[in-house]
Amino acid sequence: MKKVKIALLGLGNVGRGVWNILQMNGEEIMKRSGCQVEVAKILVRDPSKARAVKVPEELITTNFDEILNDDSIKIIVEVMGGIEPAREYILKSLNKKKHIVTANKMLLATYGDELFKKADEEEVMLNYEASVAGGIPIIQAINESLTANKIEKLYGIINGTTNFILSKMELEGSDFENVLKEAQEKGYAEADPTSDIEGFDAQYKLAILSSLAFGTKVKIDDVYREGITKITSKDIRYAKDFGLVIKLLAIAKETDGKLQLRVHPTMIPATHPLANVHDSFNAVFIKGNAVDDLMFYGRGAGDLPTGSAVVADIVSILRSDVDTENRLPVEKNNLWHKEIGEINDITSRYYIRTTVTDRPGVLGEITAIFGRHGVSLRSVIQRGRIKNEEEVGLVLVTHYTEEKQLQGAINEVKDIDAVKEINNMIRIEDFN
Amino acid sequence: MKKVKIALLGLGNVGRGVWNILQMNGEEIMKRSGCQVEVAKILVRDPSKARAVKVPEELITTNFDEILNDDSIKIIVEVMGGIEPAREYILKSLNKKKHIVTANKMLLATYGDELFKKADEEEVMLNYEASVAGGIPIIQAINESLTANKIEKLYGIINGTTNFILSKMELEGSDFENVLKEAQEKGYAEADPTSDIEGFDAQYKLAILSSLAFGTKVKIDDVYREGITKITSKDIRYAKDFGLVIKLLAIAKETDGKLQLRVHPTMIPATHPLANVHDSFNAVFIKGNAVDDLMFYGRGAGDLPTGSAVVADIVSILRSDVDTENRLPVEKNNLWHKEIGEINDITSRYYIRTTVTDRPGVLGEITAIFGRHGVSLRSVIQRGRIKNEEEVGLVLVTHYTEEKQLQGAINEVKDIDAVKEINNMIRIEDFN
């Protein structure tokens, strides 16, 4: 049995998962890869740090060069996260013709092009299944299983933290702030939750997924982004009245020759498979022109699920014979150049929640403005006022309309005296 | 650009899908595979038959030897179905070192071992993604993406016809016979629906899936099988009362060192992701010891979805360079030998629907028998009798119990005078 030495860069959550899987499923991995995997070195910043995993002390190092200059180490598993020094370490390792497995979405979304090009030049593999949607093998599916398809649409619930929060809000009627606090206590949300709740994490992941699915270069800023901080329990209740639920949806679709890329809270039909993705689960829904609808569902985070994807990437390198330098047989990225659309150019249905003074004629004024902007309304809900309150909630749902027309209408409505606030505007996706 | 010649054996539903995908997505496939695919020959039984697809006449042949002896044809795509002559053609093609792509579940479930062994000896590829769950890339997922896992449980809705029928019955309250007729009219069920409704189709597929997932040899007869013909709208209504829905579930799990393999109507919680798989959609739910819960959802049949899987298999051969003889790097089948359990040895919860004469003491007699057999009851529902009917429905739901104890109790209950009929016994799966 051939022994293959690997090194881990990082021993956090994912690194621990990788270590534990290699221990607990060693026999499976050996039989399936034909090789025995040996972790030869583990790079950490602070060896004295208390960790939830026990590894032999002699494996730990703080000196990357020890790993880089060890020619017996064939595979580098980068699970440290962040841009630098991860990027530097990967580039140097590629230069030494070491294969790379990485779970680093931020790095790939930012410098993916540079890294893939370098791996290609050095004729080594760079695998990154764990960078999107944790344990769900979505990269493999797009790269290997959907090659017969033109992918037309891709929708993803690819951030577990926000899905946990929105599911809880839906289930319990609680408000955003309370649920966020609970998520932080349970470890589902970080102390600084910005990256999740403002949609940055999903933005990185959609950049990676869409560049693969549509075979084109996608930069992070090509993806329009809105977080979930403005969603209230009121919006969730109204959504329910319309048979809809609110998800932080990552959307990529080609319309009129342009690629629409966006991450924002989205109302979707309660009967759609994505609406039934609860808690911290992730799911990616794809429509291909041959395969039609497909959905992949699973754990988008966690040490073992993410480790499962990392170790599968290691096995795939082992199977392709780590001793011969392996070239990716064909280029999988940037097959086409696709133009990226602007958020203002999309066509959607919209939900708008406003607070207005309850006096005669307000509704007429508002609907007249929407009409002038060419926005046709499908439903209007005005709840009767409570006791002596002067202000009432007014919710509008539009038919399909262009975003720029809608924004024009909202801007004008905002200036009506009786309109106290535009509380929220949420796009509705009906998957047509 | 390298041209690679392939031949289709069969031009039915799936063959048509393959042909159409190669035409409509030719550019995608070329860019992704690095090769141009040319269909050089198509084997049909009756060239005069009217077909829903137009192919150049000169490609059609009724003589397999024309294909076999054409050394320029590198890949054989077997989409004719059935055991013979498909088996003979594949073996002869392997002998000539042609790569194989097949969608033939019945053949693989029956002679898979022989075919894989032969492919291995000849050092060519034998791909079969389309044999299970149509367009869903479940074979690839198990073979390539879940290599870091010990798969503990696998549950599948892998027959679209029965799922269509059960979904309709659930949605509309209609009876089996009516819905079957509708399914036949719509083309979702065949004129002779036996293979679907009696669970044979799912049995073949589970044999293939479970042998991969558990790395052991599974014969068709190792899979216990029951069809859905006994399910009535009454059972579906009772299930609903308990918060359950009825699916034809394929189940494979390891308990006490034995593999449980079974296909039967199963009541599952309405909140489980599999319960939301409606119409003719398929889904496979897997629990791995690292990745935890995963579900793959999509179209289990249809010309284009199934063709999508076939063409992806072709691309995978092209990518691994069709000119050099490719050996599977490691054995993926039969890594372990697992003992197969008997249906009598399983432990489950059960739903039993009976019809009894409404006289005092019957319920007591029945529950006493269950008690004597060690079967503990969780719920009993006896609906009040309607008008002057003497017979009433009595439904029992058990706690976890061994199947043999349950069968013992049922056999004794059957003999009570007041028990007119044991209408149905359905296993309940709660995924624990």
Side-chain angles (χ1 to χ4, degrees):
Chain A
M1 176 100 14
K2 195 165 66 180
K3 251 196 198 171
V4 176
K5 288 191 184 174
I6 73 171
L8 304 186
L9 311 186
L11 191 56
N13 194 27
V14 181
R16 184 177 72 231
V18 172
W19 174 269
N20 284 336
I21 289 171
L22 290 174
Q23 312 308 310
M24 79 183 181
N25 293 342
E27 192 193 339
E28 277 76 15
I29 293 161
M30 202 190 312
K31 288 202 178 184
R32 291 190 182 126
S33 68
C35 303
Q36 200 176 340
V37 178
E38 184 194 329
V39 178
K41 284 285 168 205
I42 302 174
L43 182 73
V44 301
R45 210 177 319 188
D46 176 7
S48 66
K49 192 174 155 187
R51 291 175 203 279
V53 60
K54 261 209 142 18
V55 301
E57 246 175 69
E58 65 273 21
L59 300 189
I60 301 287
T61 176
T62 56
N63 179 7
F64 172 66
D65 287 338
E66 254 185 54
I67 293 170
L68 184 68
N69 296 324
D70 184 339
D71 288 339
S72 73
I73 294 176
K74 301 292 186 190
I75 302 174
I76 302 294
V77 178
E78 186 273 302
V79 284
M80 56 201 300
I83 301 285
E84 292 294 359
R87 171 170 163 264
E88 179 201 331
Y89 292 170
I90 289 179
L91 284 171
K92 283 183 172 169
S93 303
L94 287 170
N95 212 36
K96 291 257 191 183
K97 293 199 184 293
K98 293 183 198 292
H99 300 278
I100 306 290
V101 174
T102 174
N104 195 326
K105 58 193 168 259
M106 196 203 270
L107 179 61
L108 286 175
T110 317
Y111 291 104
D113 251 34
E114 177 190 23
L115 302 178
F116 290 121
K117 194 162 161 268
K118 180 74 178 164
D120 221 35
E121 283 168 15
E122 300 294 340
E123 305 191 332
V124 295
M125 290 174 81
L126 194 169
N127 288 351
Y128 55 103
E129 183 62 78
S131 65
V132 179
I136 305 175
I138 186 66
I139 304 286
Q140 166 99 349
I142 295 176
N143 267 344
E144 309 284 339
S145 302
L146 297 178
T147 47
N149 285 265
K150 208 173 278 172
I151 294 178
E152 295 172 341
K153 293 168 186 172
L154 182 153
Y155 304 93
I157 294 173
I158 48 181
N159 178 271
T161 306
T162 47
N163 204 52
F164 176 84
I165 293 173
L166 292 173
S167 297
K168 273 269 177 190
M169 288 176 71
E170 190 191 331
L171 201 71
E172 297 173 2
S174 348
D175 263 315
F176 175 76
E177 292 301 335
N178 296 332
V179 181
L180 173 61
K181 206 175 290 171
E182 192 192 329
Q184 285 172 318
E185 282 161 13
K186 287 199 173 172
Y188 285 128
E190 305 198 29
D192 176 1
T194 313
S195 170
D196 292 318
I197 63 177
E198 294 294 359
F200 290 102
D201 176 82
Q203 189 188 30
Y204 301 147
K205 292 169 178 169
L206 185 62
I208 296 172
L209 277 187
S210 59
S211 76
L212 277 180
F214 295 91
T216 191
K217 206 177 285 191
V218 173
K219 298 189 301 295
I220 294 171
D221 288 343
D222 291 338
V223 179
Y224 175 82
R225 176 191 53 76
E226 272 177 37
I228 64 162
T229 54
K230 283 175 65 186
I231 306 294
T232 65
S233 54
K234 270 188 193 161
D235 296 312
I236 288 177
R237 273 201 306 278
Y238 278 114
K240 205 171 179 183
D241 289 349
F242 294 116
L244 303 167
V245 301
I246 303 178
K247 295 289 183 190
L248 181 66
L249 208 64
I251 301 175
K253 50 181 164 179
E254 206 172 342
T255 34
D256 307 327
K258 283 185 187 174
L259 210 50
Q260 272 180 42
L261 300 167
R262 43 199 171 99
V263 169
H264 53 64
T266 310
M267 291 191 179
I268 64 176
T271 52
H272 192 273
L274 283 170
N276 289 299
V277 176
H278 300 299
D279 304 325
S280 64
F281 277 95
N282 282 16
V284 179
F285 191 95
I286 285 176
K287 191 180 174 66
N289 73 341
V291 77
D292 198 35
D293 290 347
L294 264 187
M295 190 173 83
F296 303 82
Y297 164 99
R299 297 226 169 257
D303 53 346
L304 293 178
T306 310
S308 165
V310 170
V311 175
D313 273 352
I314 296 173
V315 171
S316 125
I317 294 172
L318 299 177
R319 281 184 172 177
S320 56
D321 195 354
V322 77
D323 282 331
T324 64
E325 278 116 26
N326 269 281
R327 223 178 157 281
L328 291 178
V330 286
E331 198 172 348
K332 288 169 189 167
N333 306 296
N334 308 330
L335 299 180
W336 287 272
H337 171 73
K338 306 237 175 185
E339 205 176 329
I340 311 291
E342 296 287 320
I343 188 73
N344 266 325
D345 293 333
I346 74 163
T347 296
S348 180
R349 286 170 55 218
Y350 296 86
Y351 154 102
I352 303 114
R353 182 165 65 83
T354 65
T355 305
V356 301
T357 309
D358 190 14
R359 63 157 172 77
V362 177
L363 184 57
E365 264 181 83
I366 292 175
T367 53
I369 290 174
F370 277 93
R372 274 206 307 280
H373 283 269
V375 178
S376 144
L377 296 175
R378 180 174 157 139
S379 329
V380 175
I381 297 183
Q382 184 175 341
R383 300 256 187 252
R385 73 160 90 173
I386 302 157
K387 285 186 190 160
N388 297 323
E389 277 185 29
E390 284 217 322
E391 295 177 355
V392 294
L394 174 68
V395 167
L396 311 167
V397 170
T398 75
H399 282 291
Y400 274 95
T401 187
E402 281 183 24
E403 176 122 352
K404 58 175 158 289
Q405 292 180 298
L406 182 91
Q407 295 289 5
I410 287 182
N411 272 333
E412 199 170 325
V413 165
K414 219 161 37 188
D415 291 340
I416 301 179
D417 229 30
V419 173
K420 293 305 156 197
E421 200 182 343
I422 306 285
N423 304 84
N424 221 337
M425 179 280 271
I426 301 176
R427 296 170 192 89
I428 300 173
E429 178 66 53
D430 49 18
F431 301 96
N432 287 329
Chain B
M1 176 99 12
K2 193 166 65 178
K3 250 194 199 173
V4 176
K5 287 190 184 175
I6 73 172
L8 305 186
L9 311 186
L11 190 57
N13 195 26
V14 181
R16 185 176 70 231
V18 172
W19 173 268
N20 284 335
I21 290 171
L22 290 173
Q23 311 308 309
M24 80 182 181
N25 293 342
E27 192 193 338
E28 277 75 15
I29 293 161
M30 202 190 312
K31 287 201 178 185
R32 291 191 182 125
S33 68
C35 302
Q36 200 176 339
V37 179
E38 184 193 330
V39 179
K41 283 283 170 207
I42 303 174
L43 181 73
V44 302
R45 208 176 324 188
D46 176 7
S48 67
K49 191 174 154 188
R51 289 174 205 280
V53 60
K54 261 211 144 14
V55 300
E57 247 174 69
E58 65 272 20
L59 301 189
I60 300 289
T61 177
T62 56
N63 179 5
F64 173 67
D65 287 339
E66 254 185 56
I67 293 170
L68 183 69
N69 296 323
D70 183 340
D71 288 340
S72 73
I73 294 175
K74 303 293 186 189
I75 302 173
I76 303 293
V77 179
E78 186 273 302
V79 285
M80 55 201 302
I83 301 285
E84 293 294 358
R87 170 169 164 266
E88 178 201 331
Y89 292 170
I90 289 179
L91 285 171
K92 284 184 172 167
S93 303
L94 288 170
N95 211 37
K96 291 258 192 181
K97 294 201 183 291
K98 293 181 197 294
H99 301 278
I100 307 289
V101 175
T102 175
N104 196 327
K105 57 193 168 262
M106 197 203 270
L107 178 62
L108 287 174
T110 317
Y111 291 104
D113 251 33
E114 178 191 23
L115 301 179
F116 289 121
K117 192 162 164 269
K118 178 76 178 161
D120 221 33
E121 283 167 17
E122 300 293 341
E123 305 193 331
V124 295
M125 292 174 80
L126 194 169
N127 288 351
Y128 55 103
E129 182 64 78
S131 66
V132 180
I136 304 175
I138 186 66
I139 304 286
Q140 165 100 349
I142 295 175
N143 267 342
E144 309 283 340
S145 302
L146 297 178
T147 47
N149 285 265
K150 210 175 278 172
I151 293 178
E152 295 172 342
K153 293 168 186 171
L154 183 152
Y155 304 94
I157 294 173
I158 49 181
N159 179 269
T161 305
T162 47
N163 204 52
F164 175 85
I165 292 173
L166 291 172
S167 297
K168 273 268 174 190
M169 287 174 72
E170 189 191 333
L171 201 71
E172 297 172 2
S174 349
D175 262 316
F176 175 75
E177 291 301 335
N178 295 332
V179 180
L180 172 60
K181 206 175 291 171
E182 192 192 330
Q184 285 173 316
E185 282 160 14
K186 286 198 172 171
Y188 284 127
E190 305 199 30
D192 175 0
T194 312
S195 169
D196 292 318
I197 64 176
E198 294 294 358
F200 290 101
D201 176 81
Q203 189 188 29
Y204 300 146
K205 292 171 179 168
L206 185 63
I208 297 172
L209 277 186
S210 59
S211 76
L212 278 179
F214 295 91
T216 190
K217 207 178 283 192
V218 174
K219 297 189 301 294
I220 294 172
D221 287 343
D222 291 337
V223 179
Y224 175 83
R225 177 192 53 75
E226 270 177 37
I228 64 163
T229 55
K230 282 176 66 188
I231 305 295
T232 66
S233 54
K234 269 188 194 160
D235 297 311
I236 287 177
R237 274 201 305 277
Y238 277 114
K240 204 171 177 180
D241 289 348
F242 294 116
L244 304 167
V245 300
I246 303 179
K247 296 289 184 190
L248 181 67
L249 208 63
I251 301 176
K253 49 180 165 182
E254 206 171 345
T255 33
D256 308 325
K258 284 186 187 174
L259 211 50
Q260 272 181 42
L261 301 167
R262 40 198 172 101
V263 168
H264 52 64
T266 311
M267 291 191 179
I268 63 175
T271 52
H272 193 274
L274 283 171
N276 289 301
V277 176
H278 301 298
D279 305 324
S280 65
F281 277 95
N282 281 18
V284 179
F285 191 95
I286 286 176
K287 191 179 173 68
N289 74 339
V291 76
D292 199 36
D293 290 348
L294 264 187
M295 190 175 82
F296 304 81
Y297 164 100
R299 298 225 170 258
D303 53 347
L304 293 178
T306 310
S308 165
V310 170
V311 176
D313 274 352
I314 296 173
V315 171
S316 124
I317 294 172
L318 298 177
R319 282 184 172 176
S320 56
D321 195 353
V322 76
D323 283 331
T324 65
E325 279 116 28
N326 269 281
R327 224 177 157 281
L328 292 178
V330 285
E331 200 174 346
K332 289 168 189 168
N333 307 297
N334 308 330
L335 299 181
W336 288 272
H337 171 73
K338 308 236 173 185
E339 205 176 330
I340 311 292
E342 295 287 320
I343 188 72
N344 267 325
D345 293 332
I346 75 164
T347 295
S348 180
R349 286 170 55 218
Y350 296 86
Y351 154 102
I352 303 115
R353 181 164 66 81
T354 64
T355 305
V356 301
T357 309
D358 190 14
R359 63 156 173 78
V362 178
L363 184 58
E365 265 181 80
I366 292 176
T367 53
I369 292 174
F370 277 93
R372 274 206 307 281
H373 284 268
V375 178
S376 146
L377 297 174
R378 178 172 159 143
S379 330
V380 175
I381 296 183
Q382 183 175 343
R383 299 257 186 252
R385 73 160 92 171
I386 300 156
K387 286 186 191 160
N388 296 325
E389 277 184 30
E390 283 216 324
E391 295 177 354
V392 294
L394 173 67
V395 167
L396 310 168
V397 171
T398 75
H399 282 290
Y400 274 95
T401 186
E402 281 183 24
E403 176 122 352
K404 57 175 159 293
Q405 292 180 297
L406 182 90
Q407 296 288 3
I410 287 182
N411 272 333
E412 200 170 326
V413 165
K414 221 161 34 188
D415 292 338
I416 301 180
D417 229 31
V419 173
K420 294 304 157 196
E421 198 182 344
I422 306 284
N423 304 84
N424 221 336
M425 179 280 271
I426 302 176
R427 297 171 190 87
I428 300 173
E429 177 66 52
D430 50 18
F431 302 97
N432 288 328

